[in-house]
Amino acid sequence: MKKPIVYIDMDGVLADFKSALTKISPELTDEFVGQHDNIPGIFSLMDPVPGAIEAVYALKDKYDLYILSSSPWENPTALGDKLAWVKKYFGGEGSDNVFFRKVIFSSAKNLSRGDILIDDRTANGAGEFSGRLIRFGSSEFPNWQSVLDELL
Ligand SMILES: [Mg+2]
């Protein structure tokens, strides 16, 4: 039996963007006001969203999991930092990582075919995803426990 395909967004779903801002100097935060996406190295500083790591391991046997994340155009280290983050928090050497070769960087998420997209926003094509959008952080799905309750 083929498992349903589930795409998971990074920022605001797996990775806590705001947690990185607390680790940045106020000067840098001010310099990049309105464009925190472009702070050098910011994507390496994020803590996992509470429950996110455990949720991935809880879902992986039932679903075919992929990361589907947009990456800022003007931050030259963002792509590498995001991939390093996945390696850091989902560990293992190579294919031991649950997302080994299953990380998709895309700003047109609607072009990825699958059953479910877990995303905190409708930007970058998420709102036009052809499957079901689980809007993380909404009143229906405020946290990972509520997502697990729905999907397991
Ligand atoms: Mg997001």
Side-chain angles (χ1 to χ4, degrees):
M1 249 259 316
K2 261 181 81 178
K3 299 179 194 175
I5 292 171
V6 175
Y7 296 106
I8 308 175
D9 177 38
M10 282 186 78
D11 306 319
V13 177
L14 290 177
D16 180 357
F17 193 89
K18 291 195 186 94
S19 70
L21 290 175
T22 66
K23 302 170 190 173
I24 302 273
S25 73
E27 294 76 22
L28 210 52
T29 313
D30 287 349
E31 185 185 334
F32 285 88
V33 70
Q35 45 163 338
H36 288 153
D37 270 13
N38 291 331
I39 294 172
I42 191 158
F43 289 95
S44 65
L45 298 175
M46 297 178 195
D47 297 326
V49 165
I53 308 293
E54 298 83 350
V56 165
Y57 288 112
L59 292 169
K60 76 175 179 56
D61 290 336
K62 189 171 175 187
Y63 297 95
D64 190 12
L65 304 179
Y66 290 80
I67 284 175
L68 183 57
S69 174
S70 183
S71 192
W73 188 255
E74 300 293 350
N75 186 332
T77 68
L79 279 166
D81 289 343
K82 280 171 172 262
L83 188 59
W85 192 95
V86 174
K87 290 179 178 178
K88 177 179 178 180
Y89 286 104
F90 293 100
E93 290 292 315
S95 59
D96 287 345
N97 190 299
V98 61
F99 291 115
F100 177 64
R101 300 186 70 173
K102 296 177 81 182
V103 179
I104 300 164
F105 293 114
S106 170
S107 298
K109 296 181 179 182
N110 53 310
L111 298 183
S112 288
R113 284 192 296 179
D115 299 282
I116 295 168
L117 168 63
I118 304 171
D119 205 305
D120 62 326
R121 299 195 303 156
T122 56
N124 300 308
E128 290 80 50
F129 179 67
S130 59
R132 178 184 180 193
L133 174 64
I134 289 187
R135 190 77 185 272
F136 193 85
S138 65
S139 55
E140 194 179 2
F141 299 107
N143 52 38
W144 271 106
Q145 188 56 55
S146 60
V147 176
L148 293 180
D149 290 345
E150 177 73 10
L151 296 183
L152 293 178

